[in-house]
Amino acid sequence: VRTMVMRDRKDARETFVLNRGVWDQPDKEQPIQPGTPTCLPGQPKDAPQNRGALANWVVSKENPLTPRVVVNRYWQRFFGTGLVTTTEDFGSQGERPTHPRLLDWLAAEFLESGWNVKHMLKLIVMSATYQQSSKATPAMLEVDASNQWLARGTRFRLTSQAIRDQALMVSGLLVNKLGGPPVKPYQPLGIWSDLSLGKIKYVQDHGESLYRRTLYTFWRRASSPTMLFDVASRQVCKVRTSRTNTPLHALVLMNDNTYVEAARKLAERVMLEGGASDEERLAYGFRLATCRHATDAERAVLLDVLTKVRADYMSDNEKVKALLARGESPVNEKLDRTEVAACAAVMNMILNLDEVITKE
């Protein structure tokens, strides 16, 4: 079924400069016509003055701005900061690029590749610049504390969406299904009701919908998903979100149903795949989450924590029941419930390690 969304008027509507930008105060003595900024290459003389012509101009090879803006956002995604730090503003109020020739080269490469996004992302992550260690020496910090000159790898906390997806993936819960309608994962009771005076209620999904990538999470602009932080409000378009550190972040990562359930399933995974001894299982879980082997000191700490929480859970069966009841995924009945709970507590700690939630 074809449905008309919009169409051009037969006769163009007269448009005027607005007095002080007030929408209902047009200046009849200053009529204006469609056009493009004079600081950029213009449109072909025979181009119609409509939306199609504007779209063609935006992606024209003669227009250098679009590919520069796009590759700068890709750069920000991997390095934390764009080559132009004001990612949302390339105008006169924005910052100058730190590496102008690199930005131009990336933009040209993007165009010549046929706007191939995968090619650009692969190019960036395989570069020597991206693959540098994030370890900073005193000399580096003294000369370039903000790493503007990219002498080392950048280090910053992952987005809350990526942290959630990572926890689901490591635990084996992540559903890789592509596309489909939005999903409604775990959320504390009453959030929507309180904000809508009881008119709108949140109805949680079940089954695989609870474990899909955060990209598919249903979002109300008046109430963003509670497990996310440092995200745009979506009232306006925002391409550079803030990074803050508050106790609320740790409270979410340690107590939200998604993360507690992920820790429980990760515990089951390491008990089934990691070996027979505590040392082997803890080392396996640590490596799954951090992608490296634990040091002897780290193994000792993990083993000490496991010993303490195991003793705690063995003396309080209600705690075991409460932990294993978190989340809708079934508990593996073949495994000792107390051991699963104790291991889950350690896995929860591992999933909250700085290097697990940080891009090194």
Coordinates of all heavy atoms in Angstrom, one line a residue, residues 1-9 51:
V1 N 0.9 -1.2 0.0 CA 0.0 0.0 0.0 C 0.9 1.2 0.0 O 1.8 1.4 0.8 CB -0.9 0.0 1.2 CG1 -1.7 1.3 1.3 CG2 -1.8 -1.2 1.3
R2 N 0.6 2.1 -0.9 CA 1.4 3.4 -1.0 C 0.7 4.5 -0.3 O -0.5 4.7 -0.5 CB 1.6 3.8 -2.5 CG 2.4 2.7 -3.2 CD 2.7 3.1 -4.7 NE 3.5 4.3 -4.7 CZ 3.7 5.0 -5.9 NH1 3.2 4.6 -7.0 NH2 4.5 6.0 -5.9
T3 N 1.4 5.2 0.5 CA 0.8 6.3 1.3 C 1.6 7.6 1.0 O 2.9 7.6 1.2 CB 0.8 6.0 2.8 OG1 0.1 4.8 3.0 CG2 0.2 7.1 3.6
M4 N 1.0 8.7 0.7 CA 1.7 9.9 0.4 C 2.1 10.5 1.8 O 1.2 10.8 2.6 CB 0.8 10.9 -0.4 CG 1.6 12.1 -0.8 SD 0.5 13.4 -1.5 CE -0.4 13.9 -0.1
V5 N 3.4 10.8 1.9 CA 3.8 11.4 3.2 C 3.9 12.9 3.0 O 3.4 13.7 3.8 CB 5.2 10.9 3.5 CG1 5.7 11.5 4.8 CG2 5.1 9.4 3.8
M6 N 4.5 13.4 1.9 CA 4.6 14.8 1.6 C 4.8 15.0 0.1 O 5.3 14.1 -0.5 CB 5.6 15.5 2.5 CG 7.0 15.0 2.2 SD 8.3 15.8 3.2 CE 7.8 15.4 4.9
R7 N 4.5 16.2 -0.3 CA 4.8 16.5 -1.7 C 5.1 18.0 -1.8 O 4.7 18.8 -0.9 CB 3.7 16.1 -2.6 CG 2.4 16.9 -2.4 CD 1.3 16.5 -3.3 NE 0.0 17.2 -3.0 CZ -1.1 16.9 -3.6 NH1 -1.2 15.8 -4.3 NH2 -2.2 17.6 -3.3
D8 N 5.7 18.4 -2.9 CA 6.0 19.8 -3.1 C 4.7 20.6 -3.5 O 3.9 20.0 -4.3 CB 7.1 20.0 -4.2 CG 8.4 19.5 -3.8 OD1 8.7 19.6 -2.6 OD2 9.2 18.9 -4.6
R9 N 4.6 21.8 -3.1 CA 3.5 22.6 -3.5 C 3.7 23.0 -5.0 O 4.8 23.1 -5.5 CB 3.5 23.9 -2.7 CG 3.2 23.7 -1.2 CD 3.5 25.0 -0.4 NE 2.7 26.1 -0.9 CZ 1.7 26.7 -0.2 NH1 1.5 26.3 1.1 NH2 1.0 27.7 -0.6
R51 N 13.7 19.4 -2.2 CA 14.4 18.5 -1.2 C 15.3 17.6 -1.9 O 16.4 17.3 -1.4 CB 13.4 17.8 -0.4 CG 12.5 18.7 0.5 CD 11.6 17.9 1.4 NE 10.8 16.9 0.7 CZ 9.6 17.2 0.2 NH1 9.1 18.5 0.3 NH2 8.9 16.3 -0.4

